Amino acid sequence: MLRIAVQKSGRLSDDSLALIRECGISFISSSLKLKTESTNFPLEILFLRDDDIPGYVADGVADIGIVGQNVLVEEGKQDLSVEELGFSKCRLSLAVPKSAEYNSVKDLEGKNIATSYPNLLQTYLQEQGVTAHIHTISGSVEIAPSIGLADAICDIVSSGSTLISNGLKEVERVFKSQAVLIANQNLSEEKKAILEKLLFRIHAVQRAQRAKYILLNAPNEKVDEIISLLPGAKSPSVLPLAQEGWSSIHSVVNEDDFWEMIERLRDAGAQGILVVPIEKMIL
Ligand code: ATP
Ligand code: ZN
């Protein structure tokens, strides 16, 4: 049995549980329970505050966990990281009141900065050669300037709308973060084997998320040109259509470049293009 710690309720929770489910691991979750056990995989799930997850995994209370890199690095536990998971992407940024004059990070010299991430901020300021007074507060950092508690803040930003609605502007990006899978460094052989199985499934899910299955029809004389446009496709399938002189081409493409590619495929004579999601992808 492997124990995984996930955030009980917050910005990591839904995607963490969705990932576990996409790995084919079934469990019943209830907002009232602190732990649950999978019915078809040797996994027990603990629901915790995100800040507690790195410590619990380091101590072996949980074997693995899902947490933001911002929390992991802030707590100095980056050695536990085993896999970037690609969700809960955000950044830690410095922001100042909209009306404040700001030219460079040097303007923060001697200023008061409120944050929940004193270590990440301190590391950044040191790299920049700036000395400031860091005030550690645990929440509602964005209101600190308006109540006179600080000249600037250093907080998590994704779209920036919270900053704007608090009359602040983002001026420096301090740290980029996403969710990561972490693991205790002294797992038993049995637990390591379960973790390997889980990682195998996670990789299949991740590959599938980035990839799309593409099907299209083309006149036979255009098939070679169209195949040359399909990036990274080792060997697309080419099947004859019932209609004489036409073929159907099937391949897997990366989501990131498929829009641009679809234009080129159409220009090359492709018709009836279908793009469908892939659920799992095993190489
Ligand atoms: P807890 O009660 O568990 O301590 P919290 O309030 O500290 O929760 P959340 O706001 O739920 O934490 O954020 C959890 C993590 O999600 C953050 O540490 C960060 O990695 C990521 N995150 C935070 N804000 C955003 C955002 N706006 N968009 C995407 N990810 C975010
Ligand atoms: Zn937290």
Side-chain angles (χ1 to χ4, degrees), residues 6-13 15 48-53 67-72 87-91 117 138 156-160 162 177-179:
V6 300
Q7 191 186 21
K8 183 166 168 47
S9 85
R11 292 199 152 101
L12 292 160
S13 307
D15 287 340
L48 299 171
R49 283 203 54 191
D50 69 337
D51 316 66
D52 296 334
I53 292 175
V67 71
Q69 285 167 322
N70 51 318
V71 168
L72 193 67
F87 60 83
S88 295
K89 286 191 174 165
C90 58
R91 57 191 185 270
Y117 297 93
S138 61
I156 295 289
V157 178
S158 60
S159 70
T162 311
S177 180
Q178 61 175 291

Side-chain angles (χ1 to χ4, degrees), residues 140-279:
S140 303
V141 172
E142 65 282 355
I143 63 163
S146 63
I147 58 172
L149 191 68
D151 306 299
I153 66 159
C154 179
D155 202 9
I156 295 289
V157 178
S158 60
S159 70
S161 58
T162 311
L163 292 182
I164 293 168
S165 62
N166 283 285
L168 299 168
K169 59 183 178 190
E170 183 177 2
V171 291
E172 305 291 343
R173 297 184 174 192
V174 170
F175 186 79
K176 248 178 74 184
S177 180
Q178 61 175 291
V180 282
L181 186 77
I182 59 174
N184 179 275
Q185 290 176 318
N186 301 303
L187 292 181
S188 67
E189 289 305 316
E190 184 210 339
K191 289 184 175 190
K192 270 189 204 157
I194 303 171
L195 176 57
E196 283 308 312
K197 271 192 187 171
L198 179 65
L199 280 171
F200 179 83
R201 295 187 187 193
I202 289 175
H203 292 151
V205 170
Q206 286 180 328
R207 253 182 244 117
Q209 280 167 348
R210 287 192 300 267
K212 297 284 175 220
Y213 195 75
I214 182 168
L215 305 90
L216 57 87
N217 296 335
N220 287 346
E221 66 273 16
K222 296 285 191 181
V223 167
D224 287 344
E225 184 184 350
I226 287 174
I227 288 176
S228 73
L229 291 172
L230 295 171
K234 277 186 217 123
S235 51
S237 313
V238 181
L239 310 167
L241 286 181
Q243 188 181 346
E244 190 70 26
W246 281 75
S247 296
S248 171
I249 302 173
H250 299 196
S251 189
V252 173
V253 300
N254 194 309
E255 173 153 47
D256 297 336
D257 35 42
F258 91 171
W259 281 113
E260 198 193 336
M261 201 177 58
I262 278 169
E263 294 297 311
R264 280 183 272 137
L265 291 170
R266 280 175 42 153
D267 292 347
Q271 294 183 8
I273 303 172
L274 290 181
V275 177
V276 281
I278 297 173
E279 194 172 323

